[in-house]
Amino acid sequence: MEAQDFFHVPVLGREVVEGLAVRPGGHYLDATVGGGGHSRLILEAAPDVQVTAIDQDEDALAAAQKVLEAFCERVNFVHVNFAAYEFPVSKFDGMIADLGVSSHHLDTSERGFSFRARASLDMRMDRRQPLTAADVINDWDEAELANIFFKYGEERLSRRIARRIVEQRPFYKTTELAEAIAYCVPPKYRYGRIHPATRVFQALRIVVNDELKSLETFLSKAPQALVPGGKIAIISFHSLEDRIVKHSFRDSPLLQVLTKKPIGAQEEEIVNNPRARSAKLRIAERVED
């Protein structure tokens, strides 16, 4: 894998740098370094900036190390899920987390995040963990599957889809699962704006990677690592994540919300990067103890 294969244009990059108020000599945490896009913008924004860059995906870290090679002396890379990171107290002037699944994950068929190509049902961001999407699909009972499709995929036909999956399993390939889902829903739904398997695949990805619980854990621990006046910026891509960010910021005794409404991408950015259409950026500031 080449670094450029992973690198993607950072969503809301200008808004993130402005929101973090990046300052010379500041130390920033990129909690989801991905292809290194946001870290690069932060490092370029002011002299002598340092970045701690973490990610649970070893491919992401390898790619980011290449992309940020020119800044290598000012970047510390850590292979860890942001929920498990040991946050130092009052160390960072700002932090960013981009919660979106990267285009690399969707385009690298063997990772199993997309049904555009035949691949194993994997979906693990951190391939050190044991649970895969195939395990969930083939081992969980019908009620559990229906529940996660509805809760995490907001799929209104969750029970019908879960019933068909249980009837026809085992499934080991992405395309086989997607086809089974497509053929168990009404034709109007099957040929709608999005593929009928889209929400199920989102739900599976969230469950396999324990994304919402990890986000809650991260948001409960991260504020203590900011210096007073330090900013935290979170980019989410669906309502479940955005709701958690909104309430965590509002309920934290250490944070003052700076964005009453989330910041969205401008039309120009959406034209150049359609992925930005659903992005929502919320920013908060660490208050004095």
Side-chain angles (χ1 to χ4, degrees), residues 132-190:
T132 68
D135 295 329
V136 175
I137 285 295
N138 295 319
D139 298 340
W140 291 24
D141 66 33
E142 182 179 325
E144 288 177 308
L145 292 176
N147 181 54
I148 65 168
F149 298 160
F150 183 77
K151 184 177 180 181
Y152 300 131
E154 300 177 294
E155 174 53 69
R156 61 186 180 87
L157 297 181
S158 58
R159 283 185 284 191
R160 177 191 291 215
I161 293 170
R163 189 180 316 121
R164 178 58 63 90
I165 287 172
V166 170
E167 289 171 354
Q168 296 191 348
R169 68 191 185 185
F171 293 96
Y172 297 105
K173 299 298 181 181
T174 54
T175 48
E176 292 168 359
L177 177 60
E179 288 169 8
I181 293 168
Y183 284 106
C184 81
V185 301
K188 182 180 178 181
Y189 200 70
R190 189 182 311 161

Side-chain angles (χ1 to χ4, degrees), residues 16-154:
V16 165
V17 171
E18 291 178 358
L20 292 179
V22 178
R23 66 173 187 82
H27 192 168
Y28 296 86
L29 174 71
D30 189 339
T32 52
V33 70
H38 286 108
S39 281
R40 187 173 69 169
L41 292 176
I42 290 168
L43 288 159
E44 291 173 343
D48 302 320
V49 168
Q50 294 183 19
V51 167
T52 294
I54 69 178
D55 207 290
Q56 63 182 325
D57 189 321
E58 60 187 348
D59 285 355
L61 282 181
Q65 286 172 338
K66 292 180 180 179
V67 169
L68 303 175
E69 191 171 9
F71 308 97
C72 61
E73 294 181 357
R74 294 194 273 134
V75 185
N76 178 39
F77 295 96
V78 184
H79 184 198
V80 67
N81 181 302
F82 63 9
Y85 179 64
E86 294 187 12
F87 287 89
V89 176
S90 301
K91 180 169 184 175
F92 298 113
D93 296 282
M95 57 181 71
I96 168 67
D98 177 352
L99 306 178
V101 60
S102 75
S103 54
H104 167 81
H105 287 126
L106 296 175
D107 295 339
T108 306
S109 59
E110 62 264 27
R111 300 297 296 270
F113 286 95
S114 171
F115 46 81
R116 292 189 300 225
R118 179 180 170 85
S120 297
L121 278 166
D122 192 326
M123 299 195 190
R124 292 171 298 169
M125 294 281 191
D126 185 343
R127 286 179 283 191
R128 296 173 298 184
Q129 72 171 49
L131 184 69
T132 68
D135 295 329
V136 175
I137 285 295
N138 295 319
D139 298 340
W140 291 24
D141 66 33
E142 182 179 325
E144 288 177 308
L145 292 176
N147 181 54
I148 65 168
F149 298 160
F150 183 77
K151 184 177 180 181
Y152 300 131
E154 300 177 294

